[in-house]
Amino acid sequence: SRNFFIYLQNPFFLLKLIGSSFLGFSALYIGKIWFSYKFFKKRGIKTPEYTFFYGNYLQLTKNNKYSEVLMKWTKQLGKTFGYYQGHLPILVTSDLDMIQEVFVKQSKNFSARKVILF
């Protein structure tokens, strides 16, 4: 235990410890982001092209035309598709049968919905 305190007094040891910890946490975070982008692919749901880290956020916020972008994607990808806000997967549907199933018939299974603040 006494040898450990000798290492702590060495400024290069502390720098290496902090640097390797930062790199380790960064690698874990990047891995989490990379894994989250597989969400829709694993389920066979179409998505528009997205960029790493930002997802589709830049496309949605460009010129404040959020609804126009969603309508364009609906025409391209169909009634049900997914997109990424950052690395958070968002499912979009305009299929009335699915909406009725989720909101009416199985509403107790879908209680946590995202609140959009504008």
Side-chain angles (χ1 to χ4, degrees), residues 32-50:
K32 180 200 171 297
I33 293 172
W34 180 74
F35 184 75
S36 71
Y37 285 131
K38 294 181 177 231
F39 182 83
F40 290 123
K41 188 174 185 176
K42 285 194 280 187
R43 290 158 179 81
I45 298 172
K46 296 177 185 177
T47 62
E49 290 290 322
Y50 54 86

Side-chain angles (χ1 to χ4, degrees), residues 11-25:
F12 292 113
F13 174 76
L14 287 175
L15 186 62
K16 288 178 188 178
L17 181 66
I18 292 169
S20 61
S21 297
F22 178 75
L23 287 175
F25 285 122

Side-chain angles (χ1 to χ4, degrees), residues 63-78:
N63 300 328
N64 286 333
K65 303 214 176 186
Y66 189 88
S67 60
E68 289 179 15
V69 172
L70 290 178
M71 285 192 301
K72 176 182 154 194
W73 288 342
T74 301
K75 288 177 186 173
Q76 290 175 348
L77 303 169

